[in-house]
Coordinates of all heavy atoms in Angstrom, one line a residue:
I62 N 6.3 -80.3 56.5 CA 7.7 -80.6 56.1 C 8.6 -79.5 56.5 O 9.7 -79.7 57.0 CB 7.8 -81.0 54.6 CG1 7.0 -82.3 54.4 CG2 9.2 -81.2 54.2 CD1 6.9 -82.7 52.9
Q63 N 8.2 -78.3 56.1 CA 9.1 -77.1 56.5 C 9.2 -76.9 58.0 O 10.3 -76.6 58.5 CB 8.6 -75.9 55.8 CG 8.9 -75.8 54.3 CD 8.4 -74.5 53.7 OE1 7.4 -74.0 54.0 NE2 9.2 -74.0 52.8
A64 N 8.2 -77.2 58.7 CA 8.2 -77.0 60.2 C 9.1 -78.1 60.8 O 9.9 -77.8 61.7 CB 6.8 -77.1 60.8
L65 N 9.1 -79.3 60.2 CA 10.0 -80.3 60.7 C 11.5 -80.0 60.3 O 12.4 -80.2 61.1 CB 9.7 -81.7 60.0 CG 8.6 -82.5 60.7 CD1 8.3 -83.8 59.9 CD2 9.0 -82.8 62.1
A66 N 11.7 -79.3 59.2 CA 13.0 -78.9 58.8 C 13.6 -77.8 59.8 O 14.7 -77.8 60.2 CB 13.1 -78.4 57.4
V67 N 12.7 -76.9 60.2 CA 13.1 -75.9 61.2 C 13.4 -76.5 62.5 O 14.5 -76.2 63.1 CB 12.0 -74.8 61.3 CG1 12.3 -73.9 62.5 CG2 11.8 -74.0 60.1
L68 N 12.6 -77.5 62.9 CA 12.9 -78.2 64.2 C 14.2 -79.0 64.1 O 15.0 -79.0 65.1 CB 11.7 -79.1 64.5 CG 11.8 -79.9 65.8 CD1 11.8 -79.0 67.0 CD2 10.6 -80.9 65.8
L69 N 14.4 -79.6 63.0 CA 15.7 -80.4 62.8 C 16.9 -79.5 62.9 O 17.9 -79.8 63.6 CB 15.7 -81.1 61.4 CG 17.0 -81.8 61.0 CD1 17.3 -82.9 62.0 CD2 16.9 -82.3 59.6
H70 N 16.8 -78.3 62.2 CA 18.0 -77.4 62.2 C 18.2 -76.8 63.6 O 19.3 -76.5 64.0 CB 17.9 -76.4 61.1 CG 18.2 -77.1 59.8 ND1 17.3 -77.6 59.0 CD2 19.4 -77.2 59.1 CE1 17.9 -78.1 57.9 NE2 19.2 -77.9 58.0
L71 N 17.1 -76.5 64.3 CA 17.2 -76.0 65.7 C 17.9 -77.0 66.6 O 18.8 -76.7 67.3 CB 15.8 -75.7 66.2 CG 15.8 -75.2 67.7 CD1 16.5 -73.9 67.8 CD2 14.4 -75.1 68.2
S72 N 17.5 -78.3 66.4 CA 18.2 -79.3 67.3 C 19.6 -79.5 66.9 O 20.5 -79.7 67.7 CB 17.4 -80.6 67.2 OG 17.3 -81.1 65.9
L73 N 19.9 -79.4 65.6 CA 21.3 -79.5 65.1 C 22.1 -78.3 65.6 O 23.3 -78.4 66.0 CB 21.4 -79.6 63.6 CG 21.0 -80.9 63.0 CD1 21.0 -80.8 61.5 CD2 21.9 -82.0 63.4
L74 N 21.5 -77.1 65.7 CA 22.1 -75.9 66.3 C 22.5 -76.2 67.7 O 23.6 -75.9 68.2 CB 21.2 -74.7 66.1 CG 21.7 -73.4 66.8 CD1 22.9 -72.9 66.2 CD2 20.5 -72.4 66.8
L75 N 21.5 -76.7 68.5 CA 21.8 -77.0 69.9 C 22.9 -78.0 70.0 O 23.8 -77.9 70.9 CB 20.5 -77.4 70.6 CG 19.5 -76.4 70.7 CD1 18.2 -77.0 71.3 CD2 19.9 -75.2 71.6
L76 N 22.9 -79.0 69.2 CA 23.9 -80.1 69.2 C 25.3 -79.5 68.9 O 26.3 -79.8 69.6 CB 23.6 -81.2 68.2 CG 24.5 -82.4 68.3 CD1 24.3 -83.1 69.6 CD2 24.2 -83.3 67.1
G77 N 25.4 -78.6 68.0 CA 26.7 -77.9 67.6 C 27.1 -77.0 68.8 O 28.3 -77.0 69.0
L78 N 26.2 -76.3 69.4 CA 26.6 -75.5 70.5 C 27.1 -76.3 71.7 O 28.0 -75.9 72.4 CB 25.4 -74.6 71.0 CG 25.1 -73.5 70.0 CD1 23.8 -72.8 70.4 CD2 26.2 -72.5 69.8
M79 N 26.4 -77.5 71.9 CA 26.8 -78.3 73.0 C 28.3 -78.9 72.8 O 29.0 -79.0 73.8 CB 25.9 -79.5 73.2 CG 24.5 -79.1 73.8 SD 23.4 -80.5 73.6 CE 23.2 -80.8 75.4
K80 N 28.6 -79.2 71.6 CA 29.9 -79.8 71.3 C 30.9 -78.7 70.9 O 32.1 -79.1 70.6 CB 29.8 -80.8 70.1 CG 29.1 -82.1 70.5 CD 29.2 -83.1 69.4 CE 28.9 -84.4 69.9 NZ 29.4 -85.5 69.1
K81 N 30.5 -77.4 70.9 CA 31.4 -76.3 70.6 C 32.0 -76.4 69.2 O 33.1 -76.1 69.0 CB 32.5 -76.2 71.7 CG 31.9 -75.8 73.0 CD 32.9 -75.6 74.0 CE 32.2 -75.2 75.3 NZ 32.8 -75.5 76.5
K82 N 31.1 -76.8 68.3 CA 31.5 -76.8 66.9 C 30.8 -75.6 66.2 O 29.6 -75.6 65.9 CB 31.1 -78.1 66.2 CG 31.8 -79.3 66.7 CD 31.4 -80.5 66.0 CE 32.3 -81.7 66.5 NZ 32.0 -82.9 65.8

Side-chain angles (χ1 to χ4, degrees):
I62 292 171
Q63 285 184 319
L65 276 176
V67 171
L68 181 64
L69 172 66
H70 285 90
L71 176 65
S72 58
L73 287 173
L74 171 67
L75 292 175
L76 186 67
L78 289 175
M79 289 170 111
K80 289 189 163 199
K81 295 184 177 152
K82 295 185 176 182

